[in-house]
Amino acid sequence: MQEEFLKIPSNESLLYVFGGLLLMVLIYLFTIMVLRKIGKDPNYLLPPETVKKISLPLFLILLSFLIRMGSLRELLGLEDFGAWFRKVSTLLFIVSFTWLLIRIIKLIKQLVIRNYDVHSPNNLKARKVYTQFTILERILIFLIIIMATGVALMSFEEIREIGISIFASAGVAGIIIGFSAQKMIGAILAGIQIAIAQPIKIDDVVVVEGEWGRIEQITLTYVVVAIWDKRRLVLPTTYFIEKPFQNWTKTTADILGTVFLYTDYKVPFEKLREELKRILESTDLWDGKVQNIQVTNATGSHVEVRALMSAKDSPTAWDLRVLVREKLITFLQENYPESLPHSRVFIKDERKKN
């Protein structure tokens, strides 16, 4: 902005400075008052703490206008430093306005996701919304910071000229940097694709690299999977676009659990079915939908029996499988010990022939 403020006599400079200061204070107080009034209105989603979060960047924006006033320089006797005042005003406005935009984006995200409980049992929609807004928030903040940095640097004439000359004579270097940044750009694009297509969401149960865990964090370039034993598996976002993996909660959280038993051919299948029904009906881990006993294989030494059951989610299914396996083995031990797998040896008496 190229403007030259009119020379104001020193006895009027103080009046102009205090007038401008008073005007900005009134604007600031009016804005705060409106925000507080909106925050108290139950018809709006604006939380009361919003005022505190945006008040400081808003104040700095108004301060940048005050610093740019020519009467302030005249009052302080610093007319010769007008270029410095304008530069400080410009940079302060860019920084504070960028800060304000980031605060607004974070507040919008909080206002949206607070209506969805990620920790509820049926949290599919909540996880979708949370994942989308978390990734989009990071994308927007990244773009805003890049643009603000570029605008701030371009405000310096010397840097602008140096940058233009470098870009004009460094075509080969630009190509090399572009090839070097391919992986990073691919990871960022994969993060955007995950936000839109959502092959994974926050709190999804997945099996990746042979590990069972939950999606804990999704960024633009990597995904953190919380493994069941409290380890963390960090994978690039491109992994979930390019490689196959298991998502146990893609559409619903409920899942079928299986328990395999290896028994003797004498096992009573009907009694085993009755016992499975009794076990499932006696626990809250079972969702009441699926239960069955199936013979899935038979070899020369044993019979493979599969107990099938359903649960509301994968952690519950794991606990249910452990319980059913223990109870069924105990049932066979106490009531049908001959049904447990064992090896048979037949001894032929050759003396009868003689």
Side-chain angles (χ1 to χ4, degrees), residues 192-203:
I192 297 173
Q193 187 174 349
I194 288 175
I196 297 173
Q198 292 198 338
I200 56 173
K201 301 175 289 295
I202 296 295
D203 206 41

Side-chain angles (χ1 to χ4, degrees), residues 146-340:
I146 292 297
M147 293 177 63
T149 303
V151 172
L153 292 176
M154 294 299 287
S155 64
F156 294 92
E157 190 67 30
E158 297 81 2
I159 295 179
R160 186 189 309 172
E161 293 176 355
I162 294 174
I164 293 173
S165 62
I166 290 176
F167 281 118
S169 60
V172 177
I175 294 174
I176 296 174
I177 293 173
F179 277 112
S180 302
Q182 276 186 349
K183 289 187 176 180
M184 184 186 70
I185 295 173
I188 294 175
L189 293 178
I192 297 173
Q193 187 174 349
I194 288 175
I196 297 173
Q198 292 198 338
I200 56 173
K201 301 175 289 295
I202 296 295
D203 206 41
D204 262 351
V205 177
V206 295
V207 178
V208 288
E209 298 294 313
E211 300 282 1
W212 181 95
R214 289 182 178 272
I215 301 296
E216 184 178 55
Q217 184 181 10
I218 302 176
T219 69
L220 285 179
T221 55
Y222 66 89
V223 176
V224 179
V225 181
I227 307 303
W228 64 274
D229 57 359
K230 296 187 177 181
R231 290 177 294 150
R232 297 296 186 271
L233 182 63
V234 181
L235 298 166
T237 52
T238 52
Y239 180 96
F240 296 92
I241 303 298
E242 299 173 353
K243 295 185 178 182
F245 63 94
Q246 296 182 41
N247 188 337
W248 291 8
T249 53
K250 181 66 173 70
T251 54
T252 59
D254 57 338
I255 191 172
L256 293 179
T258 56
V259 170
F260 287 94
L261 297 178
Y262 298 93
T263 67
D264 191 78
Y265 275 78
K266 292 183 178 181
V267 62
F269 298 114
E270 290 303 323
K271 295 296 182 181
L272 207 58
R273 288 189 177 93
E274 293 175 5
E275 180 63 14
L276 175 62
K277 181 179 180 182
R278 188 192 66 80
I279 295 171
L280 294 178
E281 290 177 347
S282 64
T283 177
D284 295 332
L285 299 174
W286 184 48
D287 63 1
K289 294 181 180 179
V290 177
Q291 58 145 332
N292 199 4
I293 288 286
Q294 297 172 324
V295 179
T296 54
N297 195 11
T299 67
S301 59
H302 66 267
V303 175
E304 184 183 76
V305 179
R306 183 178 71 176
L308 193 63
M309 66 220 70
S310 59
K312 64 179 181 180
D313 53 36
S314 54
T316 306
W318 170 264
D319 294 335
L320 182 60
R321 291 169 58 198
V322 172
L323 175 67
V324 169
R325 185 182 295 110
E326 177 184 337
K327 295 293 184 181
L328 288 179
I329 292 174
T330 303
F331 171 75
L332 292 177
Q333 288 174 339
E334 294 177 351
N335 299 279
Y336 302 94
E338 69 278 4
S339 298
L340 298 177

Side-chain angles (χ1 to χ4, degrees), residues 91-141:
L91 294 177
L92 181 60
F93 176 81
I94 294 172
V95 172
S96 55
F97 188 71
T98 303
W99 188 8
L100 180 62
L101 289 178
I102 294 174
R103 288 284 192 181
I104 292 174
I105 291 173
K106 289 182 175 292
L107 288 171
I108 292 174
K109 175 196 168 185
Q110 292 176 5
L111 293 176
V112 173
I113 66 174
R114 74 174 186 171
N115 297 318
Y116 301 90
D117 185 9
V118 180
H119 303 289
S120 63
N122 187 15
N123 60 356
L124 179 61
K125 186 175 181 180
R127 290 187 287 113
K128 283 184 177 181
V129 173
Y130 191 89
T131 301
Q132 285 180 331
F133 274 85
T134 299
I135 298 178
L136 292 176
E137 174 199 19
R138 292 192 173 103
I139 294 173
L140 290 176
I141 290 176

